[in-house]
Amino acid sequence: MVELSKFTHLFDCGEAVALYHSLRMKPVYLKKGIFKKLDDWLKQKPEAIDSASEDLLGIIKELIKYKILKQDKFEDEKVLEFVKTKLPKPAINVCYFILSEQCNLSCKYCFIGNNDQEKRKNFTKLNMSKSVADKAIDFFIRQLKESSGNINFEENKPVIIFYGGEPLINFEMLEYIATKINNLRVSEKAVKNLEMSVITNGLLLNEERAIKLKKLGVGIGISIDGFTEESNSMRVDNSGNPIFKKLLTILDMLKKLNISISLSVTLSEETINSRDEIIDLIQAYNIKSFGFNIMMSSDTFVVSEKYNEKAAQFIIDQFIKLRKLGVYEDRMMRKLKAFAESKIYFSDCAATAGGQIVISSNGEVGICQGCLHNKKYFISDIADENFIASKNKDIIEWSQLSPINKEECQDCSALGICGGGCPINASYIKQNNTIHSLDERFCIHSKMTLDFLIKDLYRAMTDDQGARN
């Protein structure tokens, strides 16, 4: 029998209907009159395509080609099993160096726990030492070499991210590690193309440090939530005082030095309500790349479902404005790339791709920086010379958290572009949740993004056709 694939989803594009297979990811647009003929024919439960009328036959053959229609009742299962064989194997190419677990801020939405006095007690006050840094570099290089059979380091360059707490509290060690990595590039093939960046709140930057980071080739990512005091109201120091004005002086200093930075913008309710100010911020500091972060839940901070929808729509609305300015927004572009290339996006972070390790300031080795406060999923130590991350059972478990492997995701239209959300956030949303549960804020973001992409593509196609006519 000829019928729609269970992975086929319909989208109303006004005068047309888009038929979209969530794993083949190539939308086919049919005028509504043609679609009605097709729908009527399918309702007859045809055994073969030769019963279709002449004007439908060519369309039906195309829909079969794109798997939107199926003739084999087992075809959906075959497509899904084929896609699962493409799920990448664990291969480490990202390492978070936690230079200090201490932070000079207590942002109210901090998912690591620096806003919670009880969790802060679990953070060591000892910053990463030179001896730990030396062993950590050796440990990471060893993991890169062990992973080299499963990953192309030319296409997926190894990355070191200096992180915290606040990493600039231990700037001396950042400088030491970056210098050592740069000196190793000639003799050590594994780090030849390695990229380095620091994620910082920016308050401890000064001219000397900024120039040093530029010379060392360390990219700077600064957290700021908008261009107003209100949109940054959740970013406060340890005494609860706002830091927005101080941060603006840092951004002014970096602009005068002509040092490129990227921005990390967490979408608080206040940020979402300050729509125009984001564009002002980006233009004022000539920002070419940045990323939106949807707020995460924790055991003490839970966002509402209404927030999730507002945040998803905010990202789409800003993307429409930003693309006119040639500005790159990381979160939206990941999904756009998968959609444009019709290529399954298996994982949305390096941890769920089985590609990441985190080295704490005292040398413990974990999977996710979100577990720093309780060291859950910290699975080894840099002193363990026999540890191979890509063969570790916990890292393998994380690498299987893709929506492709989740039964509850199989009927979702966004299955191919989603990548899943954050396992740690998923574990906090409801009681008894685990890392295998759904990160429901991400479901909303992925579905709304796909709906926009399909309709935006149709608009672009019809606008282009109209221009040519």
Side-chain angles (χ1 to χ4, degrees):
M1 187 170 71
V2 184
E3 58 185 344
L4 287 172
S5 161
K6 75 172 187 178
F7 295 115
T8 295
H9 300 268
L10 307 181
F11 293 80
D12 189 337
C13 298
E15 61 187 7
V17 173
L19 292 87
Y20 177 79
H21 189 287
S22 58
L23 294 176
R24 288 300 299 268
M25 303 166 65
K26 292 181 182 292
V28 175
Y29 300 93
L30 297 180
K31 294 293 183 184
K32 282 188 172 173
I34 296 293
F35 174 73
K36 185 173 187 315
K37 282 188 177 181
L38 174 69
D39 191 41
D40 289 343
W41 179 71
L42 288 172
K43 285 175 180 171
Q44 298 171 19
K45 299 184 177 180
E47 288 298 326
I49 64 173
D50 54 8
S51 65
S53 58
E54 281 294 320
D55 59 340
L56 278 182
L57 201 53
I59 294 169
I60 290 169
K61 288 179 179 176
E62 281 295 298
L63 295 176
I64 288 173
K65 175 183 170 185
Y66 289 115
K67 306 293 185 187
I68 289 169
L69 292 179
K70 63 175 186 177
Q71 301 180 94
D72 177 351
K73 66 178 181 179
F74 298 112
E75 186 169 87
D76 287 337
E77 288 71 23
K78 291 176 183 175
V79 171
L80 180 60
E81 288 308 310
F82 174 77
V83 169
K84 285 183 177 181
T85 66
K86 302 299 180 184
L87 192 68
K89 295 179 180 176
I92 302 300
N93 73 327
V94 175
C95 183
Y96 279 73
F97 277 65
I98 309 298
L99 302 182
S100 174
E101 296 184 17
Q102 298 299 307
C103 188
N104 51 344
L105 295 187
S106 297
C107 299
K108 296 175 185 175
Y109 49 63
C110 180
F111 74 101
I112 290 179
N114 276 300
N115 57 348
D116 185 296
Q117 290 304 317
E118 287 303 311
K119 289 178 181 176
R120 281 188 85 115
K121 292 177 182 175
N122 297 327
F123 295 142
T124 176
K125 293 184 178 177
L126 294 175
N127 294 334
M128 182 175 283
S129 66
K130 191 177 287 187
S131 63
V132 170
D134 285 334
K135 290 178 184 174
I137 291 170
D138 291 343
F139 185 90
F140 181 43
I141 290 175
R142 192 162 66 248
Q143 301 311 319
L144 289 174
K145 290 178 177 176
E146 292 286 354
S147 297
S148 60
N150 292 334
I151 193 168
N152 181 340
F153 288 136
E154 294 290 331
E155 293 179 2
N156 298 283
K157 294 178 181 177
V159 177
I160 284 179
I161 299 172
F162 298 109
Y163 203 76
E166 169 49 48
L168 297 189
I169 287 176
N170 195 9
F171 185 83
E172 179 186 1
M173 204 46 52
L174 188 161
E175 184 178 356
Y176 175 77
I177 294 169
T179 301
K180 185 167 182 176
I181 289 292
N182 286 335
N183 290 338
L184 284 170
R185 290 184 190 279
V186 176
S187 59
E188 188 59 77
K189 186 179 176 183
V191 299
K192 178 183 174 185
N193 297 316
L194 184 144
E195 296 179 343
M196 295 181 283
S197 63
V198 57
I199 308 298
T200 172
N201 59 46
L203 297 183
L204 299 178
L205 271 175
N206 55 35
E207 283 194 20
E208 181 184 0
R209 288 181 170 186
I211 292 170
K212 177 66 73 175
L213 289 172
K214 185 177 182 180
K215 287 182 178 177
L216 288 169
V218 178
I220 303 174
I222 291 182
S223 307
I224 185 170
D225 298 342
F227 209 10
T228 64
E229 192 85 50
E230 290 73 22
S231 58
N232 284 274
S233 61
M234 300 191 84
R235 299 177 54 73
V236 295
D237 65 19
N238 292 333
S239 299
N241 300 313
I243 53 89
F244 176 65
K245 290 180 181 174
K246 292 180 184 175
L247 185 51
L248 283 188
T249 64
I250 300 295
L251 294 181
D252 285 332
M253 178 266 292
L254 292 167
K255 184 180 178 182
K256 287 176 184 173
L257 293 173
N258 196 29
I259 291 177
S260 297
I261 59 170
S262 60
L263 298 181
S264 178
V265 177
T266 297
L267 298 177
S268 66
E269 294 274 5
E270 291 78 7
T271 305
I272 292 172
N273 292 331
S274 305
R275 288 172 172 266
D276 295 335
E277 284 77 6
I278 287 288
I279 300 295
D280 294 341
L281 179 70
I282 288 164
Q283 291 184 312
Y285 296 101
N286 196 27
I287 304 299
K288 294 300 181 188
S289 67
F290 76 105
F292 287 130
N293 304 309
I294 303 173
M295 282 199 300
M296 294 171 60
S297 299
S298 70
D299 50 353
T300 56
F301 183 90
V302 178
V303 299
S304 67
E305 188 171 330
K306 189 176 291 185
Y307 160 81
N308 292 329
E309 189 171 330
K310 288 166 64 179
Q313 189 60 53
F314 178 88
I315 294 173
I316 293 168
D317 292 342
Q318 296 301 316
F319 170 76
I320 293 170
K321 296 178 183 176
L322 291 167
R323 67 181 174 186
K324 295 177 182 173
L325 303 174
V327 177
Y328 182 99
E329 194 282 310
D330 186 49
R331 184 168 298 280
M332 195 72 177
M333 288 303 292
R334 294 180 216 163
K335 288 184 167 43
L336 175 58
K337 185 172 187 290
F339 180 75
E341 296 178 352
S342 304
K343 192 173 180 181
I344 299 288
Y345 185 51
F346 290 104
S347 306
D348 194 56
C349 82
T352 55
Q356 171 181 304
I357 55 173
V358 178
I359 299 180
S360 71
S361 53
N362 63 3
E364 292 178 90
V365 176
I367 299 174
C368 174
Q369 66 275 21
C371 300
L372 265 177
H373 69 93
N374 59 11
K375 299 298 190 293
K376 193 174 183 182
Y377 296 108
F378 273 67
I379 50 180
S380 186
D381 186 278
I382 53 174
D384 185 353
E385 295 183 355
N386 296 317
F387 180 79
I388 302 174
S390 58
K391 295 182 180 177
N392 175 266
K393 66 178 180 58
D394 291 307
I395 287 182
I396 292 172
E397 179 184 6
W398 275 63
S399 75
Q400 297 296 309
L401 294 176
S402 172
I404 298 298
N405 285 330
K406 293 184 177 179
E407 188 64 35
E408 60 267 52
C409 295
Q410 302 303 304
D411 295 331
C412 178
S413 58
L415 177 60
I417 70 159
C418 178
C422 169
I424 299 302
N425 189 64
S427 69
Y428 282 129
I429 292 175
K430 294 176 184 173
Q431 196 173 11
N432 300 323
N433 269 10
T434 70
I435 59 170
H436 294 273
S437 303
L438 287 181
D439 180 1
E440 294 172 1
R441 73 191 170 131
F442 219 72
C443 299
I444 296 169
H445 162 60
S446 296
K447 289 176 184 176
M448 289 178 65
T449 299
L450 177 67
D451 185 75
F452 163 73
L453 291 174
I454 287 176
K455 292 175 181 175
D456 192 57
L457 176 60
Y458 181 71
R459 180 200 55 75
M461 290 166 58
T462 50
D463 285 354
D464 183 54
Q465 190 175 34
R468 281 189 276 116
N469 290 339

